[in-house]
Amino acid sequence: MPIEKIDDLGIAACHSNLHAAVRRLRQVQRDDVAERLQWLESLAQEAAVDRPGEDWKLILRRLVTATKSKALHRKLTAILTPERTNLDHVDVPLEQWYYSPSQDEVYEFDNGIFRAHTRIAEDLFATHAVSKILPADATVVETAVGNEGVRMLTPSLSSAPRWKKITKASEMEDWLLRRNKRHLQQMYLEESPPTHQSFTTITGHHGTSETVDAILEGDYNIDGTDLPLQMKQWLKTMQRTPKEKDLTIQVEMTPKQFQEAFKAADEKTSSSPSGLHYTLWKAIAEKDDLCAYFSTMLNLPFMYGFVNDRWTKGIDVMLAKQHGNSQIHMNRLIGLLEADFNTALMWYYPVQIMGNAESSGLNPNQWGGREPDCYNVCYKKTTVMGIRSIC
């Protein structure tokens, strides 16, 4: 039923069309294999038009083979992956201070995470700390916190950490909110250099000040600031080279790029609280006229610097880092964004920004957020080098 004719229909006709759509849906669900093959055949024929030298039947065989392979991998993943269940409890430590002989550090439990203090004297540890996972050999200790640092009053006891199991939903929610807040504020609470007033005065709230422009152009007197030497050297590297000044970022995503971005997205990807799932956006990507409209709507906030209200809401999800481990610091926090906002960010950052960064030259030791030098490649290389050194 054409959308433009819906307003002219009565309630009975709308119900009739709805029931017909439901019947069609159930028929497709029953005949999903045949329907999917028919859909793949249409895709193959469309691809053959774009590639005149290729046989659409050959393209169809490739699509069918890829579909069967993907379905097989999905079944194997379901069999081999441990079953994931809802979080029904969290374990919280009863003590606050611990000592790890292997790391020679004192660990402080702080609102759901552990902070490691390094040794600076015989029984004195630094006040400054960084977030770390509690080592397996950590044991309970007594400490005294003063202006000079954290003093360990007693040698490490033989008692291992004790954990309290939290099962009440309201208490779990309270602990998780405290943990997430502490995690997201760690840079400020740990007073990292970018949070110091001498640095924020230069950069402003969003790094878009006139001073930042002068640094990028090489016109700012960095040596005249009271920043630490390392920060001064880092800021000097921010000066753009002539090649970098010629690089531009495409702000407007074209309808074709919008279509390609959502066709490449995994339909099973979780999204935001609005209920606009990836299925809807992938369906929109099938229609050229809709892509033209929605690509414009997607571009406007990035072109003119305003905020889409729907994009300001997200969902924080807690995932267990290790299956069966419910200790509160062993949960990983991920954020679910609106599907269109998330897709736009994945297009702007990896394609536009990182593309420019790669062309202007990145340090080979920079891992993560770039292809093919992602974090797991670095981990594998490190593991292989470790094995070779042992052998």
Side-chain angles (χ1 to χ4, degrees), residues 287-327:
K287 302 296 183 180
D288 293 341
D289 54 343
L290 292 179
C291 288
Y293 172 78
F294 281 102
S295 62
T296 301
M297 298 300 293
L298 186 67
N299 290 330
L300 291 176
F302 294 98
M303 293 171 59
Y304 297 103
F306 66 89
V307 178
N308 185 333
D309 290 339
R310 182 166 53 83
W311 292 356
T312 62
K313 298 181 178 63
I315 301 176
D316 284 342
V317 180
M318 304 298 295
L319 300 178
K321 291 182 179 179
Q322 298 176 354
H323 180 65
N325 189 340
S326 300
Q327 295 174 359

Coordinates of all heavy atoms in Angstrom, one line a residue, residues 287-327:
K287 N 16.5 2.2 -0.3 CA 15.8 3.2 -1.1 C 16.6 4.4 -1.4 O 17.0 5.1 -0.4 CB 14.5 3.6 -0.5 CG 13.6 2.4 -0.1 CD 13.1 1.7 -1.4 CE 12.2 0.5 -1.1 NZ 11.7 -0.2 -2.4
D288 N 16.9 4.7 -2.6 CA 17.7 5.9 -3.0 C 17.1 7.2 -2.5 O 17.9 8.1 -2.0 CB 18.0 5.9 -4.5 CG 18.8 4.7 -5.0 OD1 19.5 4.1 -4.2 OD2 18.8 4.4 -6.2
D289 N 15.8 7.4 -2.7 CA 15.2 8.6 -2.3 C 15.3 8.9 -0.8 O 15.5 10.0 -0.3 CB 13.7 8.7 -2.8 CG 12.9 7.5 -2.3 OD1 13.5 6.5 -1.9 OD2 11.7 7.6 -2.4
L290 N 15.1 7.8 0.0 CA 15.2 7.9 1.4 C 16.6 8.2 1.9 O 16.9 9.0 2.8 CB 14.7 6.6 2.1 CG 13.2 6.3 2.0 CD1 12.8 5.0 2.7 CD2 12.4 7.5 2.6
C291 N 17.6 7.6 1.2 CA 19.0 7.9 1.5 C 19.3 9.3 1.2 O 20.1 9.9 2.0 CB 19.9 7.0 0.6 SG 19.9 5.2 1.1
A292 N 18.8 9.9 0.2 CA 19.0 11.3 -0.1 C 18.5 12.2 1.0 O 19.2 13.2 1.4 CB 18.4 11.7 -1.4
Y293 N 17.4 11.9 1.6 CA 16.8 12.7 2.6 C 17.5 12.5 3.9 O 17.9 13.5 4.6 CB 15.3 12.3 2.8 CG 14.6 12.9 4.0 CD1 14.2 14.3 4.0 CD2 14.4 12.2 5.2 CE1 13.6 14.9 5.1 CE2 13.9 12.8 6.3 CZ 13.5 14.1 6.3 OH 12.9 14.7 7.4
F294 N 17.7 11.2 4.3 CA 18.3 11.0 5.7 C 19.8 11.3 5.7 O 20.3 11.6 6.8 CB 18.0 9.5 6.1 CG 16.6 9.3 6.6 CD1 15.7 8.7 5.8 CD2 16.3 9.7 7.9 CE1 14.4 8.5 6.3 CE2 15.0 9.5 8.3 CZ 14.0 8.9 7.5
S295 N 20.5 11.2 4.6 CA 21.9 11.6 4.6 C 22.0 13.1 4.9 O 22.9 13.6 5.6 CB 22.6 11.2 3.3 OG 21.9 11.9 2.2
T296 N 21.1 13.9 4.3 CA 21.0 15.3 4.6 C 20.8 15.6 6.1 O 21.5 16.4 6.7 CB 20.0 16.0 3.8 OG1 20.2 15.8 2.4 CG2 19.9 17.5 4.0
M297 N 19.8 14.9 6.7 CA 19.5 15.1 8.1 C 20.7 14.6 9.0 O 20.9 15.2 10.0 CB 18.3 14.2 8.4 CG 17.0 14.6 7.7 SD 16.5 16.3 8.0 CE 16.1 16.2 9.8
L298 N 21.4 13.6 8.5 CA 22.6 13.2 9.3 C 23.7 14.2 9.2 O 24.5 14.4 10.2 CB 23.1 11.8 8.7 CG 24.2 11.1 9.5 CD1 23.7 10.7 10.8 CD2 24.7 9.9 8.7
N299 N 23.8 14.9 8.1 CA 24.9 15.8 7.9 C 24.8 17.1 8.6 O 25.8 17.7 9.1 CB 25.1 16.1 6.4 CG 25.6 15.0 5.6 OD1 26.4 14.1 6.1 ND2 25.2 14.9 4.3
L300 N 23.5 17.6 8.8 CA 23.3 18.9 9.3 C 24.0 19.2 10.7 O 24.6 20.3 10.8 CB 21.8 19.2 9.4 CG 21.0 19.3 8.1 CD1 19.5 19.4 8.3 CD2 21.6 20.5 7.3
P301 N 23.9 18.3 11.7 CA 24.6 18.6 13.0 C 26.1 18.8 12.8 O 26.7 19.6 13.5 CB 24.2 17.4 13.8 CG 23.0 16.8 13.2 CD 23.1 17.1 11.8
F302 N 26.7 18.0 11.9 CA 28.2 18.1 11.8 C 28.5 19.3 10.9 O 29.6 19.9 11.1 CB 28.7 16.8 11.1 CG 28.5 15.6 11.9 CD1 27.4 14.7 11.7 CD2 29.4 15.3 12.9 CE1 27.3 13.6 12.4 CE2 29.3 14.1 13.6 CZ 28.2 13.3 13.4
M303 N 27.6 19.8 10.1 CA 27.9 20.9 9.2 C 27.8 22.3 10.0 O 28.5 23.2 9.8 CB 27.0 20.9 8.0 CG 27.2 19.8 7.0 SD 26.0 19.7 5.8 CE 26.1 21.3 5.0
Y304 N 26.8 22.3 10.9 CA 26.4 23.6 11.5 C 26.6 23.6 13.1 O 26.3 24.6 13.7 CB 25.0 24.0 11.2 CG 24.8 24.2 9.7 CD1 24.1 23.2 9.0 CD2 25.2 25.3 9.1 CE1 24.0 23.4 7.6 CE2 25.1 25.5 7.8 CZ 24.4 24.6 7.0 OH 24.3 24.8 5.6
G305 N 27.1 22.5 13.6 CA 27.5 22.4 15.0 C 26.4 22.5 16.0 O 26.6 23.0 17.1
F306 N 25.2 21.9 15.7 CA 24.2 21.8 16.8 C 24.0 20.3 17.1 O 24.6 19.4 16.5 CB 22.9 22.4 16.3 CG 22.3 21.7 15.1 CD1 21.4 20.6 15.3 CD2 22.5 22.0 13.8 CE1 20.8 19.9 14.3 CE2 22.0 21.4 12.7 CZ 21.1 20.3 13.0
V307 N 23.2 20.1 18.2 CA 23.1 18.8 18.8 C 21.7 18.2 18.4 O 20.7 18.9 18.6 CB 23.3 18.8 20.3 CG1 23.1 17.4 20.9 CG2 24.7 19.3 20.6
N308 N 21.7 17.0 17.9 CA 20.4 16.3 17.7 C 20.0 15.7 19.1 O 20.8 14.9 19.7 CB 20.6 15.2 16.7 CG 19.4 14.4 16.4 OD1 18.4 14.4 17.2 ND2 19.3 13.9 15.2
D309 N 18.9 16.1 19.6 CA 18.5 15.7 21.0 C 18.4 14.2 21.1 O 18.8 13.7 22.2 CB 17.1 16.3 21.3 CG 17.1 17.8 21.5 OD1 18.2 18.3 21.8 OD2 16.0 18.4 21.4
R310 N 18.1 13.5 20.1 CA 18.0 12.0 20.2 C 19.4 11.4 20.4 O 19.5 10.4 21.0 CB 17.3 11.5 18.9 CG 17.1 10.0 18.9 CD 16.2 9.6 17.7 NE 16.6 10.1 16.5 CZ 17.5 9.5 15.7 NH1 18.1 8.4 16.1 NH2 17.9 10.1 14.5
W311 N 20.4 12.1 19.9 CA 21.7 11.6 20.0 C 22.3 11.8 21.4 O 23.4 11.3 21.7 CB 22.7 12.3 19.0 CG 22.4 11.9 17.6 CD1 21.5 11.0 17.1 CD2 23.0 12.5 16.4 NE1 21.5 10.9 15.8 CE2 22.4 11.8 15.3 CE3 24.0 13.4 16.2 CZ2 22.8 12.1 14.0 CZ3 24.4 13.7 14.9 CH2 23.8 13.1 13.8
T312 N 21.7 12.6 22.3 CA 22.2 12.9 23.6 C 21.9 11.8 24.6 O 22.4 11.8 25.7 CB 21.6 14.2 24.1 OG1 20.2 14.1 24.3 CG2 21.9 15.4 23.2
K313 N 21.1 10.8 24.2 CA 20.8 9.7 25.1 C 21.5 8.4 24.6 O 21.5 8.1 23.4 CB 19.3 9.5 25.2 CG 18.5 10.7 25.7 CD 17.0 10.4 25.8 CE 16.3 11.6 26.4 NZ 16.4 12.8 25.6
G314 N 22.0 7.7 25.6 CA 22.6 6.4 25.2 C 22.4 5.4 26.4 O 21.7 5.7 27.4
I315 N 22.9 4.2 26.2 CA 22.7 3.1 27.2 C 24.1 2.6 27.6 O 24.9 2.3 26.7 CB 21.9 2.0 26.7 CG1 20.5 2.4 26.3 CG2 21.8 0.9 27.7 CD1 19.6 1.4 25.6
D316 N 24.4 2.7 28.9 CA 25.7 2.1 29.4 C 25.4 0.6 29.7 O 24.5 0.3 30.5 CB 26.2 2.8 30.6 CG 26.8 4.1 30.3 OD1 27.1 4.3 29.1 OD2 26.9 5.0 31.1
V317 N 26.1 -0.3 29.1 CA 26.0 -1.7 29.3 C 27.2 -2.3 30.0 O 28.3 -2.0 29.6 CB 25.7 -2.4 27.9 CG1 25.5 -3.9 28.2 CG2 24.5 -1.8 27.2
M318 N 27.0 -3.1 31.0 CA 28.1 -3.8 31.7 C 28.3 -5.2 31.1 O 27.3 -6.0 31.1 CB 27.8 -3.8 33.2 CG 27.5 -2.5 33.8 SD 28.9 -1.4 33.7 CE 30.2 -2.2 34.7
L319 N 29.5 -5.5 30.6 CA 29.8 -6.8 30.1 C 30.9 -7.4 31.0 O 31.8 -6.7 31.4 CB 30.2 -6.8 28.7 CG 29.3 -6.2 27.7 CD1 29.9 -6.2 26.3 CD2 28.0 -7.0 27.6
A320 N 30.8 -8.7 31.3 CA 31.8 -9.4 32.1 C 33.0 -9.6 31.2 O 33.0 -10.1 30.1 CB 31.3 -10.7 32.6
K321 N 34.2 -9.2 31.7 CA 35.5 -9.4 31.0 C 35.8 -10.9 31.0 O 36.4 -11.4 30.0 CB 36.6 -8.6 31.7 CG 36.5 -7.1 31.5 CD 37.7 -6.4 32.1 CE 37.6 -4.9 32.0 NZ 38.7 -4.2 32.6
Q322 N 35.5 -11.6 32.0 CA 35.7 -13.0 32.1 C 34.4 -13.7 32.5 O 33.7 -13.3 33.4 CB 36.8 -13.3 33.2 CG 38.2 -12.7 32.9 CD 39.1 -12.9 34.1 OE1 38.8 -13.5 35.1 NE2 40.4 -12.5 33.8
H323 N 34.1 -14.8 31.7 CA 32.9 -15.5 32.0 C 32.9 -16.1 33.4 O 33.8 -16.8 33.8 CB 32.8 -16.6 30.9 CG 31.5 -17.4 31.1 ND1 30.2 -16.9 30.9 CD2 31.3 -18.7 31.4 CE1 29.3 -17.8 31.1 NE2 29.9 -18.9 31.4
G324 N 31.9 -15.8 34.1 CA 31.7 -16.3 35.5 C 32.4 -15.5 36.6 O 32.2 -15.8 37.7
N325 N 33.1 -14.4 36.2 CA 33.7 -13.6 37.2 C 32.8 -12.3 37.4 O 32.7 -11.5 36.5 CB 35.1 -13.1 36.7 CG 35.9 -12.4 37.8 OD1 35.3 -11.9 38.7 ND2 37.2 -12.4 37.6
S326 N 32.2 -12.2 38.6 CA 31.2 -11.1 38.9 C 31.8 -10.0 39.7 O 31.1 -9.2 40.3 CB 30.0 -11.7 39.5 OG 29.4 -12.7 38.7
Q327 N 33.2 -10.0 39.9 CA 33.8 -9.0 40.7 C 33.6 -7.6 40.0 O 33.7 -7.5 38.8 CB 35.3 -9.3 40.9 CG 35.5 -10.5 41.7 CD 37.0 -10.9 41.7 OE1 37.8 -10.2 41.1 NE2 37.3 -11.9 42.5

